[in-house]
Amino acid sequence: MLGNAHSPLRTTWTLLVLVVFLLTGRHGLAGDAQTPDGALEIERLKGEVAALSQELIELQQAAFYPADTRFFLFLSLASNDGLTPESIEIAIDGRPVVSHLYSEREKLSLQRGGAQALYTGNLSLGEHRLDITLAAQAQNDRYVRRESSLTFRKRAGETTIELQLAASPPDFEPSITLQDWQ
Amino acid sequence: MLDWGRYLSRQAIRTCAVLLVGGGLLVSVSQAAPRGTASAEHEQIRIRLAQFSVAGGRFAEALARVEDLDSPLALLLRAESLVGSGRSDQAIPILRQLTAGERYRGQSWLMLAEAAMNGATSVEVNIEQALDNAVRYGHGEIRERARFHQAELLRAQSMPERAGQVLATMEPGYWAAVGYQNVASDYARIDRSPARSLVALRVALALASEDAHVARGASLKSELLLQAGYLALQAEDFSKAEGFLKDIALDSYVTPEALFFHGQALAGRQNVREAMQSWHRAKKFPLAFPGAVEAWLGMGQGYDELGYLGQAGEAFLAANAAFDSEQVTLRSLAEEVRQRGAWRAMVEASRATDLEWFLADNRALAQPRQAYLLRFAESADGQSAIARVATLAELFRQLQSRKSDLEIFRQAIAYRQASIPSVGELETRLGRVDGRIGELADRLRRTAAHAGTGQSEQVDSLVQTLIDLRTVYHRLPGDRPAVARSLNQHLDQLALLEHRLDGLVERLVRAREEAEAMLDRQMLSFLSNEEERIRFAQDRAEQQVVYLYEHLALRKLEQEAQP
């Protein structure tokens, strides 16, 4: 408070809003910013780039992941109140393939039932190892960092594995369940 | 030989093959119960994946996942992704379809209204009707946002009282508080007395404290207190002003301005010493922020009021030197903008394109470059100008990345084409593989006869892999022509995509050049205005110094003239 001793300058929520404005181009709440010149062209370009990216993603899926070796890994939360992930790192057979830091919106999405695509690629048939490093906040306000190694078997046909995170009371110790969606 | 039929039927049951090998770790692992293979479940997964993609702003990815799905949630995600990726016109029919259904009606009506209000669509939308329906069918945040927009529409028609009536029906929280803040601004413009404005601001303060988002609520509270303090100050109600201003957090964006007003309120009550303490704090902030320049001048005036004329002179001289130096900084920033462009000189150099780093750097506000950038971004025009270039820069980065992807895809497809084995080659290999699988199966059968419980599971797993391998190998000759055909089609698609990408790059470069030129003009004009503001303050400091010297000289003459 102003009546208290001076404290060093810090970044604030306002700053965050300002910088987010700055980076995303969202304007005033009351629509007081007029549609700028060239905005329509930018919107068109955004749409076309997104369409092109979408086609490329579909093409990539079709061309490079033959059904028999296709492997897809995704993550979800078992419930919305036990655990909030902060970051995750995954290596398959010792090769790092995922490193993700969660944004607030992404955390909220997971808590609302969203699922994160962690990895899409090709794996040979047979056993493979997953090394998972998870940093998360448990419901009892405890930050946890856990490392785990698991094996799974890649079968013929498309393999989809779901990593389900959970933490149950009273100690909210994180657990990971692997589910095969073949 | 192994009983293939038995294993095949087990494969159909589909168990979860997971083994924990990382002993000693705290994470526990459990086996999931098998689920059905119905496509409905796979659709559910695709929808949940799209939800996460939308949350991360990866709209192309989300669209690729739900494009062919038609459940209400899939449609909503498609609409959100289309709006998010600048294709609101394509989203409108989907939203209209949703408004006619049973699910997500409120959200769809709100999205329709917001698309129309933001000018993001050329399709005609009845905004009032859309907002009415969003209120009727929406819940929670959706309903509150819709009510807020309704109040804003009434404000835009110069009907703040009616806007207030709408706001009175809202739940306490952020949206209602912002609504009352805007109504307070209207009253401040219309009324001579600040009474109605202050009442509206007090209501807004009470509502903001109910915001579930603590940081957002705290920031809004600081803004509301500043607004209320300023109004009370204007009405010369110094005690009330002090009461509002002293509650503003010291780490707020409005702190320098609040400190200056706080000093003014104290000075208004003849408490100059304490006023100077507030100004002393305010002048530690960069001169870019409102209140900092005034605080420098306030220090001199404070010493003057208290009768310390020598120190007053020193304070004004210090202010003069600070203002002089600031003008040099502003001129050098302007020169840099002319030479490198505003985007590189101000935004990239401030590392503002890297949000995490920018916010983590606690020196960000202490640097003139960053401070002026933030001040520039306070105005809607400034935001638009930066956002245009930022969007185009990001699109350009995406296209460069896509171009590189295309090249890699082409090489990979060419490699796959070259490496497809001939039918004869496949059949030869098939014979060899069958022999090896048979031999391995025999060995496994022998091993299984003597295996313990744990070993049996491993044997089962290996048998399953052998079955899979055999199935895959036997399918290969039949699949070969289709694979070759499909690779050729992919190459054709790649050529088309590359052509489109080149056209987009050309348009993007043109649009970016125009957007950067506009940002340069606006930034130079802003820096020039800032220089003018500082020069004006310097004039005032110089006048004060001259006045003080004159006063001291006259006093000296008077003292000398006395016998």
Side-chain angles (χ1 to χ4, degrees):
Chain A
M1 304 294 156
L2 294 190
N4 300 340
H6 176 72
S7 75
L9 207 57
R10 285 180 224 131
T11 48
T12 63
W13 171 250
T14 312
L15 259 183
L16 176 68
V17 171
L18 269 174
V19 178
V20 169
F21 270 155
L22 188 151
L23 293 174
T24 61
R26 289 174 189 159
H27 308 309
L29 293 165
D32 50 354
Q34 295 198 339
T35 307
D37 299 338
L40 206 59
E41 170 67 357
I42 292 175
E43 285 299 297
R44 271 193 222 111
L45 282 167
K46 269 167 77 175
E48 287 182 46
V49 172
L52 191 126
S53 298
Q54 183 187 335
E55 284 176 44
L56 214 54
I57 289 168
E58 287 165 358
L59 183 62
Q60 185 186 15
Q61 295 283 337
F64 298 110
Y65 302 119
D68 278 325
T69 55
R70 193 179 299 168
F71 172 68
F72 179 55
L73 180 69
F74 73 96
L75 175 137
S76 67
L77 296 185
S79 68
N80 64 358
D81 55 356
L83 199 70
T84 308
E86 294 290 335
S87 70
I88 193 163
E89 289 169 41
I90 291 179
I92 298 176
D93 300 330
R95 185 170 55 96
V97 290
V98 179
S99 175
H100 188 82
L101 191 66
Y102 293 93
S103 70
E104 288 304 318
R105 283 171 61 90
E106 287 174 337
K107 289 177 198 170
L108 198 65
S109 170
L110 285 175
Q111 284 167 344
R112 289 179 176 170
Q116 178 191 9
L118 287 171
Y119 177 72
T120 307
N122 292 308
L123 283 183
S124 56
L125 301 185
E127 278 196 358
H128 295 275
R129 197 180 84 232
L130 268 183
D131 296 314
I132 304 163
T133 307
L134 171 77
Q137 189 180 9
Q139 201 196 28
N140 55 359
D141 284 340
R142 198 162 55 98
Y143 277 92
V144 289
R145 187 177 184 279
R146 296 287 181 267
E147 291 177 13
S148 167
S149 285
L150 316 159
T151 56
F152 65 95
R153 201 163 58 76
K154 170 76 185 85
R155 301 207 201 139
E158 184 175 322
T159 301
T160 299
I161 299 270
E162 177 179 6
L163 283 181
Q164 235 181 30
L165 302 182
S168 307
D171 58 350
F172 293 100
E173 190 56 38
S175 68
I176 300 176
T177 307
L178 263 71
Q179 190 163 343
D180 189 343
W181 284 84
Q182 190 161 22
Chain B
M1 288 291 287
L2 281 165
D3 180 358
W4 294 104
R6 183 168 68 87
Y7 282 108
L8 282 169
S9 65
R10 284 176 61 173
Q11 184 190 25
I13 292 169
R14 192 179 58 79
T15 55
C16 185
V18 178
L19 298 167
L20 173 67
V21 295
L25 296 165
L26 290 169
V27 178
S28 67
V29 181
S30 58
Q31 286 202 346
R35 290 189 189 174
T37 53
S39 64
E41 285 186 331
H42 284 269
E43 282 191 11
Q44 272 306 310
I45 295 178
R46 284 166 62 191
I47 289 172
R48 290 166 59 203
L49 290 165
Q51 275 179 295
F52 189 83
S53 301
V54 167
R58 294 177 295 277
F59 300 116
E61 195 180 289
L63 281 168
R65 295 198 193 286
V66 292
E67 181 124 78
D68 55 338
L69 303 185
D70 55 5
S71 72
L73 181 53
L75 289 176
L76 183 73
L77 290 167
R78 264 167 66 191
E80 279 185 321
S81 303
L82 287 167
V83 170
S85 58
R87 287 175 281 179
S88 294
D89 282 352
Q90 290 176 45
I92 299 288
I94 300 173
L95 290 171
R96 288 200 196 286
Q97 186 185 339
L98 281 167
T99 57
E102 290 296 319
R103 306 281 310 274
Y104 310 111
R105 272 188 292 182
Q107 192 167 347
S108 306
W109 280 116
L110 181 64
M111 284 174 71
L112 275 174
E114 286 182 342
M117 284 190 295
N118 296 336
T121 175
S122 54
V123 181
E124 200 169 321
V125 175
N126 183 335
I127 295 173
E128 284 83 1
Q129 186 206 19
L131 289 175
D132 282 345
N133 285 326
V135 170
R136 185 179 310 152
Y137 299 116
H139 303 281
E141 170 106 357
I142 290 164
R143 184 180 179 278
E144 296 309 300
R145 258 167 57 191
R147 293 299 267 166
F148 169 79
H149 288 313
Q150 285 181 324
E152 289 298 290
L153 288 180
L154 291 166
R155 277 189 57 238
Q157 295 164 42
S158 304
M159 291 189 277
E161 291 87 357
R162 284 197 53 201
Q165 286 166 8
V166 172
L167 294 170
T169 65
M170 291 174 67
E171 295 292 321
Y174 178 78
W175 293 102
V178 174
Y180 274 106
Q181 182 187 25
N182 291 342
V183 167
S185 302
D186 290 345
Y187 286 149
R189 208 169 33 248
I190 301 165
D191 297 352
R192 285 188 171 181
S193 153
R196 284 205 301 177
S197 278
L198 287 175
V199 169
L201 286 171
R202 280 191 196 279
V203 174
L205 276 166
L207 296 172
S209 65
E210 302 282 322
D211 188 3
H213 198 311
V214 178
R216 183 177 67 174
S219 173
L220 180 59
K221 185 184 166 195
S222 289
E223 279 180 37
L224 293 168
L225 287 168
L226 181 76
Q227 214 167 327
Y230 177 73
L231 284 171
L233 200 60
Q234 290 294 95
E236 299 193 351
D237 191 342
F238 299 118
S239 299
K240 196 180 275 179
E242 199 191 323
F244 285 123
L245 295 163
K246 75 177 173 52
D247 285 339
I248 294 177
L250 268 175
D251 58 359
S252 153
Y253 183 67
V254 297
T255 300
E257 201 169 11
L259 282 167
F260 172 65
F261 289 150
H262 187 244
Q264 279 208 311
L266 288 165
R269 292 202 297 123
Q270 308 305 316
N271 191 351
V272 180
R273 280 180 194 278
E274 278 192 44
M276 286 175 69
Q277 284 179 17
S278 288
W279 291 331
H280 184 68
R281 289 181 193 170
K283 80 185 181 70
K284 291 187 174 175
F285 288 78
L287 291 171
F289 292 110
V293 162
E294 293 78 3
W296 276 90
L297 294 170
M299 288 300 289
Q301 282 158 354
Y303 282 123
D304 192 2
E305 287 270 330
L306 292 171
Y308 301 115
L309 300 186
Q311 276 155 305
E314 279 175 25
F316 283 125
L317 282 173
N320 188 42
F323 298 156
D324 209 33
S325 153
E326 193 70 3
Q327 287 175 74
V328 173
T329 302
L330 279 162
R331 278 196 291 272
S332 84
L333 282 177
E335 187 52 35
E336 224 179 310
V337 168
R338 275 184 215 99
Q339 285 184 0
R340 297 171 59 205
W343 177 251
R344 278 160 208 85
M346 298 296 285
V347 184
E348 283 186 347
S350 300
R351 289 181 291 201
T353 49
D354 185 344
L355 181 65
E356 299 279 343
W357 176 244
F358 188 71
L359 292 175
D361 187 357
N362 62 6
R363 294 166 306 169
L365 277 189
Q367 304 293 327
R369 192 190 304 270
Q370 281 94 328
Y372 282 113
L373 174 63
L374 282 167
R375 292 272 291 119
F376 177 75
E378 278 179 19
S379 73
D381 283 350
Q383 277 175 32
S384 304
I386 296 175
R388 268 197 302 273
V389 182
T391 306
L392 292 167
E394 173 57 21
L395 289 177
F396 192 73
R397 192 196 61 73
Q398 281 180 25
L399 280 187
Q400 293 297 97
S401 164
R402 294 292 92 85
K403 200 170 174 64
S404 143
D405 287 349
L406 282 176
E407 192 46 45
I408 292 167
F409 289 179
R410 186 203 310 284
Q411 287 170 9
I413 289 178
Y415 177 77
R416 282 196 64 197
Q417 273 183 322
S419 56
I420 296 176
S422 66
V423 177
E425 209 176 327
L426 280 173
E427 279 169 357
T428 313
R429 274 206 216 171
L430 204 54
R432 282 207 301 266
V433 165
D434 270 345
R436 282 176 62 196
I437 287 177
E439 182 196 329
L440 281 168
D442 282 344
R443 283 168 57 192
L444 279 170
R445 184 169 52 84
R446 284 196 295 275
T447 311
H450 311 289
T453 319
Q455 289 168 327
S456 289
E457 281 177 15
Q458 289 180 39
V459 170
D460 284 355
S461 170
L462 288 169
V463 167
Q464 189 65 59
T465 304
L466 282 180
I467 294 168
D468 290 343
L469 282 169
R470 190 172 181 275
T471 311
V472 170
Y473 267 100
H474 277 268
R475 240 181 10 223
L476 286 177
D479 288 348
R480 192 188 176 282
V483 169
R485 216 172 26 248
S486 148
L487 288 175
N488 280 333
Q489 283 169 357
H490 292 328
L491 273 181
D492 292 345
Q493 271 179 285
L494 273 182
L496 282 173
L497 284 175
E498 194 160 30
H499 180 68
R500 274 172 55 198
L501 191 140
D502 288 342
L504 272 174
V505 168
E506 265 180 45
R507 281 169 56 197
L508 205 59
V509 167
R510 273 200 305 276
R512 185 172 170 172
E513 279 170 2
E514 284 168 23
E516 286 202 27
M518 191 182 286
L519 176 62
D520 289 356
R521 281 196 299 277
Q522 288 184 14
M523 184 64 81
L524 284 171
S525 161
F526 166 77
L527 291 175
S528 163
N529 289 342
E530 284 297 293
E531 196 185 339
E532 187 61 34
R533 180 175 71 89
I534 303 288
R535 193 179 304 124
F536 181 70
Q538 191 182 22
D539 283 349
R540 282 177 60 197
E542 283 171 353
Q543 280 168 19
Q544 293 290 341
V545 171
V546 169
Y547 158 75
L548 273 174
Y549 283 167
E550 272 179 8
H551 179 74
L552 287 170
L554 285 172
R555 207 162 71 173
K556 193 179 175 193
L557 282 174
E558 279 169 13
Q559 282 169 352
E560 284 172 359
Q562 281 173 0

